[in-house]
Structure formats: C-alpha cells, structure tokens
Amino acid sequence: MIDRNMKNVLVVSIGFLSLFTAYGGLQSLQSSLNAEDGMGVTSLSVIYASIILSSMFLTPTLIKNLGCKWTIVVGMGCYVTYSIGNLYPGWYTLIPTSVILGMGGSPLWSAKCTLLTICGNLQAPKENKAAADVINKYFGIFFLIFQSSAVWGNLMSSLIFGSDTDIPDISEEDLQYCGAGVCIDINVNSTTKRPAQELVWTLVGCYIGVGVLAMVIVAVFLDNIDRDQAQEFRGNREPFWSTFLATFTLLKDKRLIILIPLSMYSGFEQSFLSGEYTKNYVTCSLGIHYVGYAMICFGATNSLCSFMFGRLAEYTGRAPLFCLAAANNFACIMALLFWRPHPDQLPVFFVFPALWGMADAVWQAQTNSLYGVLFPRQSEAAFANCCMWESLGFVIAFAYSTFICLDTKIYILLGVLILSMVTCLWAEYQEHNNPTLPVEEGVYDKDYKKDTDQYTDYSKNIHHIIAQTSL
C-alpha cells in the first residue's frame, strides 16, 4: 500500500508530467516555429527574466500565504496562458503571456521542491533512514515521471507536424550553414518554414487541454500538506519586508553563493539544447518535424536516469554523479563544436540529445536535492534562489542567441560548465566536512504513524523547519 507521502509525490509528479507535456513541447519549438525576428527565443528570454523577478520578490510570500498545493495550482494556470498565447503567436500575445508564465514559474517550482522536501523529512523517521536519502529518492521519482513529459509533448508535435504535406526539401547548399563554424542566420533557409496554421492550432489546442488537466489533478488529489502553517502565517503575519526579501536574506549563507554557478549552468545547458541544438542542427538539417523525435530521446534517457541516479546517489553520493554528468556534457560540447550535421547521419541526431538527457538528469534532480539537504529549514527561499539563478542562465543564453555565432555560444557553455563543477565539488567537500544538521527527530509526531487523520496536526510540527525564511 502506498503511504501518504508517496501518494503526494506521485500526484505532484503526474501533474507536472501533464503540464510540461505542453510547455516542454512548446519550448523546444520556439526557436524554429516562431523564428521570425527571433520572436520565439525572445519570448523564452522574457519568461525566464520574469521568473527571476518572481524568485526575488514573490515566491516565499506566495507559498507562505497559499501553501504548496494552491501555489502549484496557480503556477500551473500561468503556464496554460502561454499555450493560449501560442494560438495566435505575435509580439502582442507571446510577450504578455511570457510575463504571466514567468510570474508563476518560480512559485510553482519552489512549492514543488518544498513539498518534496517536507514529504522526505516526514517519511525519513518512519523508514529509519537519513532525510537526505529519502529526499534523494523522492526527487528521483519525481524526475523519472516528470522528464518523460518530453517524450509525450514532443511525440505530439512530431506526429502532427509530420502530417504536413508541404515539407520543404533541404539542399546541399542549405546544409552548409548547419552546425557550428559558419556564422550566418539560418532563418533565411527554407528548412525553417512554419507548418500549416491548422496544424499549429491542433497542436496548441492539445497542449492547452493537458495543461488544464494538470491543474485538475493537483487541485483534486494533492494533500494540502502545509495548510495549517499557511493559515497561521495569514493570521500572524511576519513583517512584510522580512518575507518579501527572504530570497535575498539567504544569500548571506556562503554555501548558497557557491551553488550559483551550478544553478546557472542548468539554465545554460537546457537552453542550448532546446534553442540552439534544435534549430542549428535538427531543424536546419532534417526539418522542424524531426525536432520532436530528437527531444523524445532526451526525455526518455532523462526520465530513466533521474530515477536510477536518485537511487544510486544513496550509495555513491552526489559528487560522483556530478562528475559523470560533467564528463558527459564536456564530450558532447566538444563533438558539437566540430560536427557538420548531414541527413545521411540520421542516428547521430538522436545520440546527442540522449546523452544530454543523461547528464541533465543529474543537473536537475541532484541539484534540487542538494539545495534540499543544505537548507532544510529555509526551503522556500533556498529553492527560490535555485530557480532564480537557473533562470538567469536561461535569460543570458536566450538573450544572446540571435546576436553571436554558434561556436562562441558553445565556448561560453563550456566555460560555465568548468566553473560550475569547480564550485559544485567545493560545496560537496564543505558539506562532507561540516554536514548540515539534520531535522530534529523530536519534531515528528509518533502518532502520525498510527493515525493518518492526524496528518494536518503533524504538519504543524514542522512549521519552524520549513516556514522560517527570514532569519
């Protein structure tokens, strides 16, 4: 029988799976589908710039007032508006909906991470395990389910766009502009031709449907695990500025400063795959209808490796997994710098995203887990910082996407990777020598194991662990 904490992990995982089936598919297509004047990547840059702002000022306040459950529902609604904006893409629709999505993005992810951390801390005494191990497992399960969204969202786009009867042929002359080494805007090529409008409407309509389904799943089935502390916060409000600036307050902790490059690299590497690889390698050489198939390989390996690495971390620790991911990305980056893509090399187009998915499984799950382990008592502010710095990586990468050459972008990505690994291993070394004090065992209500009706009363006991972001 599935315990209550595992049930909540599964519900939020399935909700995110449904939501990001839509958003992940749209993000992968923006640089190709809305290539005119760089509108697609500009909208993505606006999204992550807005996420930075919401991370700075909105996230802790929203989670404390609404609780994790309803913060997630509200955040999901913001994502659905972006899908609606893509029905008639233009500057007047994509930019406003990008801002709305960004405002909900940081609270959504921070609430999810906070909820998984709470569930891990609640479950650890019941299983007689370290909280870090249970949190690792829960993040692994979440990313196993969540990352498979790339499979379904991109499968939908490839099947729908593959039915287009007016797919352009790619000439040898066009192919010479694909990959790194030739600095030219490939938007002029016929390979970036937009699919028929009817097919775009069909795809986006499907994406809107699964986004609304995600909101329903979470609203109906997810437990309001921190309801009482949210009510207590609303009834006994802390000074506004202490909560409003909680994200910045945590920057006093040098451990968080050390993790900034790692968080930013996560944004750089994801934006490179979804923005540069899909446009300059896949769309340029094969056509936009192959983008989904390439990203399916990314999603499949990402999903499987997230679960596998989540379990493996219990025995190896996080540091060896970070090293594995870095070596993987380094090899892919160097290969992409020199590879000249051609349709005759079809399998290679799917190998790169598959390997990238293996590395991203570590960057996503283990980075979130590391934040949860290092800052169990300031989880809202910690995950808001994680989201903020990751989003800054997205913003920078998308902002320069239309202004500099691809090989320069690859060198920048390589430099950020090296810096992030140096700081990441330093953080792991510091944690190994001076472990973060675990959540006190006394905060757990023993009766919780016998009577699930006391779940809400039990959640009160962790108020001073998860709600004190203004120290």
Side-chain angles (χ1 to χ4, degrees):
M1 183 177 178
I2 297 177
D3 60 74
R4 196 160 194 172
N5 289 315
M6 179 61 74
K7 187 268 288 186
N8 286 325
V9 172
L10 293 176
V11 169
V12 77
S13 300
I14 294 171
F16 271 68
L17 164 65
S18 183
L19 180 70
F20 282 85
T21 290
Y23 175 70
L26 280 176
Q27 178 177 269
S28 299
L29 292 168
Q30 286 304 310
S31 61
S32 302
L33 189 62
N34 298 315
E36 184 179 358
D37 297 326
M39 182 171 61
V41 293
T42 300
S43 75
L44 295 176
S45 185
V46 170
I47 285 173
Y48 292 103
S50 301
I51 289 178
I52 291 175
L53 293 177
S54 66
S55 300
M56 289 178 177
F57 305 117
L58 182 62
T59 297
T61 300
L62 193 62
I63 296 176
K64 281 175 170 289
N65 277 280
L66 299 182
C68 291
K69 173 179 178 175
W70 295 112
T71 300
I72 290 173
V73 174
V74 171
M76 287 179 166
C78 295
Y79 273 73
V80 172
T81 63
Y82 185 68
S83 297
I84 296 173
N86 273 268
L87 283 172
Y88 295 95
W91 294 104
Y92 61 92
T93 57
L94 286 185
I95 301 306
T97 55
S98 295
V99 173
I100 294 172
L101 188 157
M103 288 294 105
S106 178
L108 173 72
W109 280 95
S110 299
K112 179 271 300 180
C113 292
T114 299
L115 186 140
L116 294 184
T117 301
I118 292 173
C119 290
N121 283 322
L122 294 176
Q123 189 66 21
K126 297 175 63 178
E127 297 183 2
N128 197 26
K129 291 183 177 180
D133 292 338
V134 180
I135 293 171
N136 267 330
K137 181 178 73 172
Y138 282 173
F139 273 102
I141 292 171
F142 170 81
F143 281 103
L144 166 69
I145 299 173
F146 161 71
Q147 294 291 9
S148 67
S149 63
V151 174
W152 311 117
N154 289 294
L155 180 61
M156 290 168 63
S157 69
S158 286
L159 291 176
I160 292 174
F161 288 163
S163 65
D164 194 347
T165 57
D166 188 23
I167 297 175
D169 295 326
I170 303 173
S171 66
E172 290 294 330
E173 182 180 357
D174 291 331
L175 290 172
Q176 67 179 317
Y177 301 115
C178 301
V182 180
C183 193
I184 189 171
D185 184 6
I186 68 168
N187 291 338
V188 297
N189 289 2
S190 60
T191 55
T192 59
K193 179 181 178 296
R194 183 180 171 85
Q197 185 61 44
E198 292 77 12
L199 297 179
V200 176
W201 285 336
T202 300
L203 178 63
V204 175
C206 293
Y207 285 162
I208 293 173
V210 295
V212 172
L213 176 62
M215 297 175 65
V216 173
I217 290 172
V218 173
V220 173
F221 296 106
L222 185 65
D223 289 329
N224 201 353
I225 190 172
D226 55 346
R227 178 185 61 189
D228 280 11
Q229 51 260 46
Q231 290 177 343
E232 182 177 340
F233 175 80
R234 291 194 298 269
N236 303 282
R237 292 187 180 276
E238 301 172 9
F240 173 76
W241 285 106
S242 66
T243 305
F244 189 65
L245 298 177
T247 302
F248 297 106
T249 303
L250 197 59
L251 287 171
K252 296 177 181 178
D253 193 322
K254 67 178 182 179
R255 297 174 302 168
L256 186 62
I257 301 296
I258 294 174
L259 291 179
I260 288 177
L262 178 64
S263 300
M264 289 186 64
Y265 177 72
S266 179
F268 273 95
E269 58 93 7
Q270 290 180 77
S271 63
F272 180 85
L273 186 73
S274 62
E276 306 301 337
Y277 183 77
T278 57
K279 177 182 177 182
N280 293 285
Y281 292 89
V282 181
T283 299
C284 183
S285 303
L286 303 176
I288 193 172
H289 56 291
Y290 271 96
V291 169
Y293 293 126
M295 296 302 289
I296 285 172
C297 296
F298 168 80
T301 58
N302 202 326
S303 175
L304 293 174
C305 290
S306 293
F307 178 75
M308 181 176 69
F309 291 155
R311 292 299 183 91
L312 191 60
E314 184 175 344
Y315 305 99
T316 66
R318 291 175 301 271
L321 297 179
F322 281 127
C323 291
L324 175 64
N328 185 332
N329 269 172
F330 182 86
C332 288
I333 291 169
M334 296 304 296
L336 288 172
L337 189 60
F338 297 103
W339 179 46
R340 295 295 174 264
H342 193 280
D344 293 341
Q345 306 164 331
L346 187 62
V348 182
F349 288 90
F350 307 114
V351 171
F352 279 109
L355 291 174
W356 209 274
M358 182 184 300
D360 188 68
V362 175
W363 303 129
Q364 298 303 308
Q366 298 307 314
T367 300
N368 279 280
S369 174
L370 181 57
Y371 272 87
V373 170
L374 293 181
F375 308 101
R377 297 163 182 80
Q378 304 92 14
S379 54
E380 298 99 332
F383 289 122
N385 268 282
C386 180
C387 190
M388 178 175 69
W389 297 111
E390 180 182 23
S391 298
L392 181 60
F394 274 107
V395 170
I396 295 173
F398 285 131
Y400 65 53
S401 177
T402 57
F403 298 105
I404 63 176
C405 299
L406 180 59
D407 54 355
T408 304
K409 300 172 192 175
I410 293 177
Y411 285 124
I412 293 174
L413 182 66
L414 186 61
V416 179
L417 170 62
I418 294 172
L419 175 62
S420 67
M421 277 309 299
V422 171
T423 55
C424 169
L425 293 179
W426 176 250
E428 289 285 7
Y429 176 76
Q430 295 280 28
E431 175 64 12
H432 177 75
N433 289 338
N434 301 287
T436 302
L437 292 176
V439 176
E440 292 81 358
E441 205 170 307
V443 302
Y444 295 102
D445 184 351
K446 304 299 183 181
D447 292 336
Y448 173 77
K449 300 179 181 180
K450 301 178 181 179
D451 186 0
T452 57
D453 291 337
Q454 294 181 358
Y455 183 86
T456 301
D457 291 335
Y458 172 77
S459 68
K460 281 184 176 180
N461 295 329
I462 61 170
H463 171 68
H464 295 293
I465 297 174
I466 66 168
Q468 292 182 2
T469 59
S470 54
L471 298 179

